[in-house]
Amino acid sequence: MPLNYTILVILIPLVMFAFLGLAGVKMGRKITGVLGVIGMGVTTVIAYAAALTYFFGTDQGQIIDGVRQQLVLMDWDWLSFTDKLVVRMGVLLDPISAMMLIVISTVSFMVHLYSLGYMSDEEHKPEKGFQRYYSYLALFTFSMLGLVVSTNIFQMFIFFEMVGVSSYLLIGFYYNSPAAVHASKKAFIVTRLADLFFLLGIMILSYYTNTFDFKELMGVPGSDTAAFSIASASGTTFMGCSVMAWALTFIFIGGAGKSAMYPLHIWLPDAMEGPTPVSALIHAATMVVAGVFLVARMFPLYILQQGCMDIICVVGAFTAFYAAAVACVQSDIKRALAFSTISQIAYMMTSLAVSSANWTVAAGGLGYMASMFHLFTHAMFKALLFLCAGAIIHAVHSNENTAMHGLHKYMPICSIAFLIGCLAISGIPPFAGFFSKDEILVACYEKNLFWGLWMALVAGMTAFYMFRIYFLIFFWDKHETPEGSHEPHEAPWTMTLPLIILSVVSCVAGFVPAGDLVTWDGKPLHTHTEWPVAISSICVALVGIGLAYKLYFKKNDLPERMKNSCLGLWTAAYHRFYMDEMYQFITHKVIFQGICKPIAWFDRHIIDGTMNLFADVTNSASFAIRKLQSGSIQGYVFVYLIGALLLAAVTIVCVLI
């Protein structure tokens, strides 16, 4: 098979992780960084070669009767539970995995290059972790690439866990910072809780299907009966729902944890405590889309479980609105972008969920295609926005927008790049986000007018909060440089070059023919611009941009007046509607104080106390009778005779009576 070299896409980051982790401390900082960039560059070239060959290659095995095939490039037995239930390790190449190879490798390479400049001050920090940093980046890249090419769901679960571990290491990179340590633990615990449900879903699914393999679970691409004999024939029920529905719901919870869906979103904003390039890599383009990718991979099964799809739709739509509302009032640039990511990921989830089992109509496959298309475009412009944020933070040494104002004169390249990212995410043509968001809105309107209007509202809120951030950073007021500090300036070329590349990509990515390349059944989906939806979405976005311009372009008192007029709502949104406080109350007050503490008291005082009482009585008795052990034989004989006489007297009395 000519695509067997795809395995190198996984192996090279793994080798770089081991090499930099073990030998990096013996090398200089520059050598370590350059080697990391070169290794990721080679990986990116191979990933692009594999993806482009799959999509546009001449090998007829990739397309049969007009249907793109799932290619299992290699597959070997790893664990055998039964004759039928065998866990294999391998490489699967299909439309969404090929697309993800491009996404992950591109963003990871940009982050590797960007980090050469951003982490240049790392030597002044106590941890001296430059080599460790690049080693962790390679581990994370290996984990994500292994996840998207998994041939079976158990292999995916393994890489799911590795993604969690590597993200824990990267978020907590500044281990001398209590906030970073807390954030890494929070991310690890929340995602592990979700992964427990993922594992339960896998166990239920494999028990009733006797397979882990995706190809066996999903059926043959392009089949009109797709998938599905397994899903439709599963008549076993539990609590009124089929076991297949339970399994898929549990699997979705696992994906919701990784993708920060409400109410498992609380880890993502705090994860911004890690280095900003890490935020771009983990939380803009790769890790947070793992949940979306999981649902997309299992889409042929989900589409036959309407109840599961309804749950995903409600959770996704609510999360999109909730995160957008919180992003509208954030002052920390990275946290605002984090909530933007949550909202956009929810957009993708909702797009998957509005698909119907009737794949012969537009709504059937459109939602799937639109979700994957938006995943692709969002990865590029959100990585751009995060890297711009890193350049800004690098220049002003603060995350707060109050320390930024008026930076367009000092950082023109960064200003233009950030503007392109804002236009793209707002859905303004001809930037990338317009095309993918338009397809999502069309799919939502096809599903239900309510969902279409709801997601259009979220799109308007997105335009508002992104341009709020842009105007506050680059305009609003003159920049005031603190005494003793240098004026802001453009970042070094290693940071600026990725901004330029991603800006260009964000301008042209929308023209990728996603309908011809990435569909759930491998068949081309011919789409066209729905102008009523497109024009209305543009108008909504322009209203949001116009409102942001009115409030935040020049310094005025309107924002403060609006804040005071709805102070309670503003405060609640700023504090994320007190979700962290609610979890804190549940865990500390209810679980720890209300449940665990009484149980601990009962265990300590009743259970342990009773055992200790028995021990004390035994000890006291032993000390009391120890005095009888005098060592005198005459005394022992005397006591024996007295006892014998007493026993004889009692016997006689009993006989006489």
Side-chain angles (χ1 to χ4, degrees), residues 499-514:
L499 301 185
I500 296 173
I501 295 174
L502 290 172
S503 296
V504 174
V505 174
S506 297
C507 293
V508 302
F511 297 99
V512 172

Side-chain angles (χ1 to χ4, degrees), residues 45-374:
V45 171
I46 298 174
Y48 268 74
L52 295 177
T53 300
Y54 175 79
F55 283 127
F56 306 108
T58 57
D59 188 351
Q60 294 302 309
Q62 295 154 206
I63 301 178
I64 300 177
D65 296 329
V67 179
R68 295 191 183 276
Q69 301 299 299
Q70 292 181 335
L71 304 181
V72 179
L73 305 181
M74 52 190 66
D75 201 25
W76 64 90
D77 292 351
W78 183 48
L79 293 174
S80 179
F81 296 98
T82 67
D83 293 338
K84 295 183 178 180
L85 196 58
V86 179
V87 178
R88 297 182 175 89
M89 301 292 285
V91 176
L92 173 66
L93 202 60
D94 68 348
I96 59 171
S97 61
M99 181 199 70
M100 289 300 297
L101 288 181
I102 294 177
V103 170
I104 297 170
S105 60
T106 300
V107 176
S108 184
F109 178 67
M110 294 294 105
V111 168
H112 275 71
L113 179 59
Y114 183 92
S115 297
L116 287 177
Y118 187 88
M119 303 297 287
S120 61
D121 295 330
E122 192 64 25
E123 60 185 356
H124 303 298
K125 298 184 181 294
E127 51 264 31
K128 298 205 180 268
F130 196 76
Q131 296 87 352
R132 175 168 54 90
Y133 173 81
Y134 270 93
S135 178
Y136 291 168
L137 286 183
L139 176 63
F140 179 86
T141 305
F142 160 73
S143 303
M144 275 302 306
L145 290 170
L147 187 154
V148 300
V149 299
S150 296
T151 60
N152 60 82
I153 195 169
F154 200 88
Q155 180 185 350
M156 179 181 283
F157 176 77
I158 294 172
F159 282 103
F160 234 66
E161 297 304 294
M162 292 184 66
V163 168
V165 171
S166 54
S167 65
Y168 167 82
L169 296 172
L170 286 168
I171 296 169
F173 177 75
Y174 299 122
Y175 58 81
N176 285 330
S177 169
V181 172
H182 175 75
S184 63
K185 291 191 295 183
K186 189 175 184 179
F188 190 82
I189 293 171
V190 173
T191 53
R192 291 296 73 71
L193 175 64
D195 290 346
L196 174 62
F197 287 92
F198 185 12
L199 182 59
L200 289 174
I202 293 174
M203 294 171 64
I204 297 172
L205 186 66
S206 61
Y207 180 82
Y208 284 95
T209 62
N210 286 317
T211 185
F212 292 117
D213 291 345
F214 288 128
K215 291 193 71 172
E216 295 182 24
L217 285 170
M218 309 306 159
V220 180
S223 173
D224 291 335
T225 59
F228 328 157
S229 53
I230 294 173
S232 58
S234 182
T236 307
T237 61
F238 177 73
M239 296 180 64
C241 296
S242 70
V243 292
M244 188 63 66
W246 281 108
L248 294 176
T249 301
F250 287 160
I251 291 172
F252 166 67
I253 293 174
K258 279 289 192 293
S259 291
M261 295 289 99
Y262 185 94
L264 300 174
H265 67 285
I266 59 172
W267 66 270
L268 184 61
D270 291 348
M272 300 299 107
E273 295 294 337
T276 301
V278 170
S279 301
L281 178 62
I282 298 180
H283 310 295
T286 52
M287 177 180 172
V288 292
V289 302
V292 179
F293 179 85
L294 173 61
V295 175
R297 174 63 76 203
M298 305 291 291
F299 184 78
L301 296 180
Y302 275 103
I303 203 170
L304 294 182
Q305 298 292 335
Q306 192 57 48
C308 294
M309 298 291 274
D310 290 341
I311 292 173
I312 298 173
C313 186
V314 172
V315 172
F318 178 79
T319 303
F321 178 83
Y322 164 83
V326 175
C328 287
V329 299
Q330 295 300 304
S331 59
D332 185 307
I333 182 175
K334 290 177 66 176
R335 292 186 184 274
L337 292 177
F339 278 102
S340 172
T341 297
I342 297 174
S343 183
Q344 295 301 302
I345 297 298
Y347 235 93
M348 302 172 202
M349 279 289 194
T350 307
S351 182
L352 286 172
V354 297
S355 300
S356 70
N358 184 9
W359 45 80
T360 61
V361 299
L366 181 59
Y368 178 94
M369 186 278 295
S371 177
M372 296 298 98
F373 191 17
H374 195 58

Side-chain angles (χ1 to χ4, degrees), residues 428-478:
I428 302 299
F431 301 96
F434 164 74
F435 299 94
S436 55
K437 273 195 173 183
D438 180 67
E439 300 292 359
I440 291 177
L441 289 175
V442 171
C444 290
Y445 278 115
E446 289 283 347
K447 173 70 173 180
N448 189 287
L449 179 61
F450 173 79
W451 292 125
L453 294 175
W454 182 277
M455 301 311 290
L457 172 63
V458 175
M461 296 171 66
T462 301
F464 170 77
Y465 67 67
M466 287 307 308
F467 274 88
R468 171 183 176 270
I469 298 171
Y470 176 73
F471 291 137
L472 283 174
I473 293 174
F474 294 102
F475 297 93
W476 181 256
D477 198 6
K478 293 182 179 180

